[in-house]
Amino acid sequence: MKKAVVIIPYKDEDKKKLTDFAEGKCEFVFLNKKTQHEEYLSAIKDANLIIGEPNNNDFQYCENLEMVQSSSSGVNYYVEGGKFPEGAKLCCMTGVYGNVIAEHLLGMLLSICRRIPEYRNQQNESKWKILRFDKPLDGSTVLIIGAGDIGTTLAKWMRPMVGKIIGIRRTKRDFPEFFDEMETLEKLDEKLPEADFVISVLPQTPETTGLFDEQRLRLMKDDAVFVNGGRGSLIDQEALIKVMSEGKFFGVGLDVTVPEPLPEESPLWKQERLLITPHAAGNSCSLESPLERKIRDFILKNTLRWLDGEEPENVIDFKIGYKKNL
């Protein structure tokens, strides 16, 4: 019988559902924050499957590991860690977070456009003053860099609000009706000057790290709004501070930074027109939320595929740094 260790929070009803569906095929061990480290190491030693996010250093204790099912869509921590067991599969949660992350990034963008953070600052001072010159979406051009699940959801929701939507993908393929154009990364420099709004949701890979250097930041319109919800490593933060201090951008929204947490002394905190959230787009939902339901349903489905000897979904290709067949 296979053995699975679950190291993310699970409600009792979800535990029962998982164990019932896998009855006779797999024994499940559910751990929590109160689990002693020795008990944890003993559990993962014999585990064939780990559900959750083990530490890279813990893999040295795994003797029978076949698969790790992460609850995150971004797993570069393991891809770059160099300690993931050879021959084991790593599965991410791509395709589950589309709605909740898109909601957050769209909220950031609209808040910047309507200058909501500035009004909140005025409220703290009991000040009543209309701030002129908002940034309108009507008739604008939006560039979405990373036209997968999250990017496509953003395009769908923004379609009635804007004039043109351009998608950028790492690989060429047909695109949904919500986009007017779809290009690959090779066309990024050509498309950046066209956009009034630039939204990046790319994962971290060797190809995307440092993608937004000073040259590319300057390619954008001086009054563009730039929002990054992919990984902080995509942006040269020193270059961002430099160009913003010169007056570049109507506003910038960052849900991700390097490092995380962002140190108190980072000059990013002091930048005017910069809205920062603490990597909260996909990490602020309770166990009762629709997102958590989707996560649990995906874990159940993928676990059963693994137990039945089928190829799991969202298996990571370590050579390219993201899931296969994108």
Side-chain angles (χ1 to χ4, degrees), residues 78-143:
Y78 297 124
V79 174
E80 299 169 1
K83 298 181 179 181
F84 197 84
E86 186 176 352
K89 289 183 170 66
L90 172 63
C91 300
C92 68
M93 202 59 65
T94 296
V96 173
Y97 285 88
N99 280 21
V100 66
I101 294 180
E103 285 176 6
H104 189 94
L105 300 182
L106 183 57
M108 292 187 82
L109 186 143
L110 292 173
S111 294
I112 292 169
C113 289
R114 300 300 299 178
R115 304 179 72 169
I116 302 301
E118 295 169 78
Y119 281 117
R120 179 68 196 192
N121 291 339
Q122 287 192 171
Q123 180 180 338
N124 291 338
E125 300 174 4
S126 303
K127 183 184 297 183
W128 184 280
K129 179 184 178 182
I130 295 177
L131 302 173
R132 303 294 181 183
F133 309 116
D134 294 334
K135 180 77 172 175
L137 274 74
D138 188 24
S140 66
T141 296
V142 179
L143 180 64

Side-chain angles (χ1 to χ4, degrees), residues 59-83:
F59 291 128
Q60 63 183 306
Y61 303 104
C62 297
E63 298 181 358
N64 300 297
L65 191 62
E66 298 176 18
M67 186 171 103
V68 172
Q69 173 61 69
S70 172
S71 61
S72 174
S73 58
V75 290
N76 54 285
Y77 172 72
Y78 297 124
V79 174
E80 299 169 1
K83 298 181 179 181

Side-chain angles (χ1 to χ4, degrees), residues 48-322:
N48 306 111
L49 168 67
I50 298 177
I51 298 173
E53 280 69 46
N55 189 288
N56 263 319
N57 292 326
D58 296 340
F59 291 128
Q60 63 183 306
Y61 303 104
C62 297
E63 298 181 358
N64 300 297
L65 191 62
E66 298 176 18
M67 186 171 103
V68 172
Q69 173 61 69
S70 172
S71 61
S72 174
S73 58
V75 290
N76 54 285
Y77 172 72
Y78 297 124
V79 174
E80 299 169 1
K83 298 181 179 181
F84 197 84
E86 186 176 352
K89 289 183 170 66
L90 172 63
C91 300
C92 68
M93 202 59 65
T94 296
V96 173
Y97 285 88
N99 280 21
V100 66
I101 294 180
E103 285 176 6
H104 189 94
L105 300 182
L106 183 57
M108 292 187 82
L109 186 143
L110 292 173
S111 294
I112 292 169
C113 289
R114 300 300 299 178
R115 304 179 72 169
I116 302 301
E118 295 169 78
Y119 281 117
R120 179 68 196 192
N121 291 339
Q122 287 192 171
Q123 180 180 338
N124 291 338
E125 300 174 4
S126 303
K127 183 184 297 183
W128 184 280
K129 179 184 178 182
I130 295 177
L131 302 173
R132 303 294 181 183
F133 309 116
D134 294 334
K135 180 77 172 175
L137 274 74
D138 188 24
S140 66
T141 296
V142 179
L143 180 64
I144 298 176
I145 307 169
D149 178 46
I150 301 168
T152 299
T153 301
L154 278 166
K156 177 182 178 180
W157 290 348
M158 297 185 75
R159 179 71 279 170
M161 307 166 68
V162 302
K164 183 179 181 180
I165 302 179
I166 305 169
I168 296 283
R169 288 182 52 83
R170 290 166 295 180
T171 55
K172 189 174 180 62
R173 75 166 194 185
D174 294 336
F175 56 92
E177 60 183 323
F178 317 115
F179 292 91
D180 297 289
E181 296 180 24
M182 186 68 71
E183 304 290 351
T184 57
L185 277 171
E186 287 73 18
K187 291 292 186 74
L188 178 60
D189 291 357
E190 178 183 323
K191 296 301 176 181
L192 282 173
E194 298 181 23
D196 301 290
F197 301 96
V198 178
I199 308 173
S200 173
V201 288
L202 287 172
Q204 178 177 313
T205 69
E207 185 182 19
T208 63
T209 299
L211 185 69
F212 294 101
D213 56 13
E214 182 176 345
Q215 179 181 354
R216 287 204 172 96
L217 292 172
R218 292 192 183 280
L219 284 176
M220 300 185 210
K221 292 182 178 181
D222 288 342
D223 65 343
V225 172
F226 179 34
V227 174
N228 183 28
R231 285 293 183 267
S233 60
L234 273 61
I235 299 176
D236 180 337
Q237 291 177 172
E238 291 186 4
L240 178 64
I241 293 168
K242 178 180 179 181
V243 299
M244 288 195 74
S245 66
E246 297 172 3
K248 186 83 175 180
F249 297 121
F250 182 89
V252 173
L254 302 179
D255 185 51
V256 286
T257 61
V258 175
E260 293 182 357
L262 188 65
E264 292 183 10
E265 63 272 15
S266 171
L268 284 173
W269 293 114
K270 304 298 183 182
Q271 291 300 308
E272 295 184 7
R273 310 184 315 285
L274 175 57
L275 176 61
I276 299 173
T277 55
H279 205 148
N283 297 289
S284 56
C285 298
S286 72
L287 286 176
E288 309 295 333
S289 69
L291 171 62
E292 289 297 330
R293 177 78 275 134
K294 289 180 181 179
I295 290 173
R296 299 298 176 266
D297 287 347
F298 183 89
I299 289 173
L300 175 62
K301 178 178 66 173
N302 231 22
T303 299
L304 294 180
R305 289 179 67 91
W306 169 70
L307 286 172
D308 289 339
E310 300 178 26
E311 178 71 1
E313 295 184 22
N314 288 1
V315 176
I316 296 296
D317 184 337
F318 276 71
K319 292 181 180 179
I320 57 178
Y322 47 91

